[in-house]
Amino acid sequence: MSGGDAKKLVRSPSGLRMVPEHRAARSPFGLDEPPWVPDKECPRCMQCDTKFDFITRKHHCRRCGKCFCDKCCSKKVPLPRMCFVDPVRQCAECALVSQKETEFYDKQLKVLMNGATFFVTLGTSDKSELMVCRLSNNQRYLVLDGDSHYEIEITQISTVQILTEGFTPGGGNTRAIGMILQYKVPGSEEVMQMKFTASEDISCNKKLSASWLAAMHKVSK
């Protein structure tokens, strides 16, 4: 997979972007740049309805492509889902969404790519295998390494069920201890299932496994 991870710097009307050389290598979490609303179709700000003139200039939100005045589109926020190198101008609504996503990119994705160790059970088998599970660098595959090796394309995952313990009827803290993953086999309609269980081995970091599972839960959303 590493051979297809090369990137190139491109310039668009919205700014500089560092994108994969091959479209097939794009992250499944990526977004395409939206088409901009043509200037002639937006005589007024699409948020506050202020009329544009020589003093009140129009600006396009890099996330939604709509047209706004400076007051309604003044924030410059990172937009990793579109691979922008620098923070870009966004309207207030889009800026809030992008700020939340930045935390996901800065924290959860890094946790997933660092990986964690689980006992993995395939289908209805009564045998499990200790495997290191991680997200590939291009974010396209869930990679499992042990005596066996699996690569599951993220876009083929249909359901993610996080398994927890510690819940009581009166409430209380829960701890993620595993997950059940269902995914489609490429080229067929067959659905496979894998069960991941956090290892109780002292040498394995339970906290790391719980953080990895929490990040996987966010990915599934």
Side-chain angles (χ1 to χ4, degrees):
M1 291 183 291
S2 59
D5 293 345
K7 295 185 177 182
K8 61 182 178 179
L9 189 65
V10 298
R11 180 181 292 278
S12 73
S14 298
L16 287 173
R17 302 170 65 217
M18 185 65 74
V19 301
E21 284 192 354
H22 304 287
R23 189 174 179 84
R26 283 188 53 183
S27 165
F29 307 113
L31 289 175
D32 289 325
E33 285 188 80
W36 283 10
V37 174
D39 287 351
K40 62 182 180 180
E41 295 181 12
C42 54
R44 295 177 178 274
C45 174
M46 300 178 77
Q47 177 64 40
C48 69
D49 205 38
T50 296
K51 186 177 180 180
F52 296 124
D53 53 30
F54 288 110
I55 297 176
T56 305
R57 308 298 296 274
K58 62 185 65 174
H59 302 277
H60 286 86
C61 172
R62 272 51 175 172
R63 187 182 181 104
C64 67
K66 294 180 180 179
C67 208
F68 303 92
C69 67
D70 182 69
K71 182 180 178 180
C72 294
C73 194
S74 61
K75 294 185 177 181
K76 289 192 175 182
V77 180
L79 187 45
R81 290 189 71 184
M82 289 186 191
C83 303
F84 283 109
V85 173
D86 300 308
V88 290
R89 188 185 291 270
Q90 298 178 56
C91 66
E93 183 177 347
C94 286
L96 286 175
V97 175
S98 294
Q99 285 169 343
K100 292 180 180 178
E101 289 177 349
T102 298
E103 180 184 354
F104 170 73
Y105 268 77
D106 287 346
K107 295 181 180 179
Q108 277 78 30
L109 277 186
K110 288 182 179 178
V111 168
L112 289 175
M113 288 190 284
N114 285 337
T117 304
F118 298 91
F119 281 109
V120 179
T121 306
L122 182 62
T124 58
S125 173
D126 57 357
K127 296 182 179 180
S128 60
E129 182 179 339
L130 190 63
M131 308 188 81
V132 175
C133 308
R134 63 178 180 84
L135 187 67
S136 63
N137 290 336
N138 61 14
Q139 303 165 5
R140 291 180 56 84
Y141 297 89
L142 187 62
V143 180
L144 289 73
D145 277 310
D147 290 336
S148 305
H149 177 81
Y150 298 96
E151 293 182 7
I152 303 171
E153 195 166 359
I154 293 295
T155 55
Q156 297 298 320
I157 295 176
S158 53
T159 61
V160 175
Q161 178 187 351
I162 302 298
L163 305 175
T164 61
E165 68 175 7
F167 177 77
T168 59
N173 295 326
T174 60
R175 180 171 67 96
I177 59 171
M179 73 175 178
I180 294 177
L181 188 77
Q182 291 185 327
Y183 62 96
K184 290 184 179 180
V185 177
S188 75
E189 293 300 315
E190 183 181 5
V191 176
M192 299 292 291
Q193 178 172 296
M194 280 185 173
K195 182 178 180 181
F196 297 67
T197 306
S199 172
E200 294 298 322
D201 192 325
I202 296 177
S203 65
C204 296
N205 191 324
K206 294 181 183 179
K207 185 176 181 181
L208 178 62
S209 297
S211 297
W212 195 92
L213 290 168
M216 193 66 193
H217 182 57
K218 287 185 178 293
V219 165
S220 67
K221 292 182 177 181

